[in-house]
Amino acid sequence: MSTIDQIDLKKVPKHVAIIMDGNGRWAKKRGLLRVFGHEKGAKAVKETIEAAGKTGVTHLTLYAFSTENWNRPKVEVDKLMNLLVSSLKKEFKTLHENKIKLNAIGNLNELPSKAYKELTEVIEKTKNNDKLVLTLALSYGSRDEIVKTVKEIAKKVKNNIISLENIDDSIINEHLYTQNLPDVDLLIRTSGEQRISNFLLWQIAYAELYFTDVLWPDFKKEDLYKAIINYQNRERRFGKTSEQLK
Ligand code: IPE
Ligand code: IPE
Ligand code: MG
């Protein structure tokens, strides 16, 4: 079993992003309704945030609800939105005490007003915290984000605020939802699926990808440590040769 002592504190990924998948299958395996999987999944979220804080990861981004997830049955969507509200209410104090700053990315205007209100309140109350930036991707789709970004930049070019020649990586970065976040270092997906599902397409350009068969509700702190240890044993070459890195 992986323990925190096996983590090299000098090589901790700054930004870890997780596609939390497998809640439905976890429930189905037990003959339960999908919603119970989401409830258990919320507990795994809590454990993961605590574990990330201990490792020295400074940014944790969790894919909680995609633009495509709006197409799920209404009961399930409602359950997920209610869980968001109740988790924020329940966990606010712990988040704040642990100096966690809450952030959210996605088309937040589409959230039910109760969820939007709770979310923005916790974001406001935790805005001066500096131990860990916890970003929830809600009603998030990477293509949606890129379309929005292109439109904003095009508008600025049209209004002579930005010149066409000046558009570069950093201008694009500044217009994404993730404008204040560093690039993703490690992307984890649970449940055995090996796909990106419209998550942070631009931001994972050079992320290390880690897939595990563990279903999200079963994900424990040791699973996070294991992913980080695996990451630390890789060589990130960024196009260079191995010798150049020595
Ligand atoms: C992840 O679990 C949670 C969300 C996408 C909101 P799923 O609900 O996708 O679980 P599976 O993939 O059906 O097992
Ligand atoms: C991706 O999971 C979205 C979240 C984890 C919130 P899905 O379960 O919706 O992904 P696909 O549709 O199976 O790829
Ligand atoms: Mg899924």
Side-chain angles (χ1 to χ4, degrees), residues 20-25 34 38 64-65 69 72 76 80:
M20 310 183 289
D21 197 13
N23 294 355
R25 278 162 284 166
R34 295 176 58 85
H38 296 314
F65 195 88
N69 288 150
R72 291 195 178 190
E76 182 164 347
L80 286 165

Side-chain angles (χ1 to χ4, degrees), residues 15-83:
H15 188 179
V16 175
I18 310 184
I19 302 174
M20 310 183 289
D21 197 13
N23 294 355
R25 278 162 284 166
W26 182 92
K28 195 172 178 193
K29 259 178 37 182
R30 287 162 179 77
L32 301 169
L33 293 170
R34 295 176 58 85
V35 296
F36 291 101
H38 296 314
E39 271 177 15
K40 186 81 196 311
K43 296 203 174 98
V45 170
K46 183 178 163 71
E47 171 148 354
T48 303
I49 297 168
E50 282 170 11
K54 287 189 194 134
T55 58
V57 165
T58 56
H59 294 78
L60 176 68
T61 299
L62 303 175
Y63 203 8
F65 195 88
S66 71
T67 45
E68 289 77 19
N69 288 150
W70 290 113
N71 299 320
R72 291 195 178 190
K74 186 172 181 303
V75 276
E76 182 164 347
V77 171
D78 289 349
K79 174 71 191 184
L80 286 165
M81 293 301 147
N82 289 338
L83 253 180

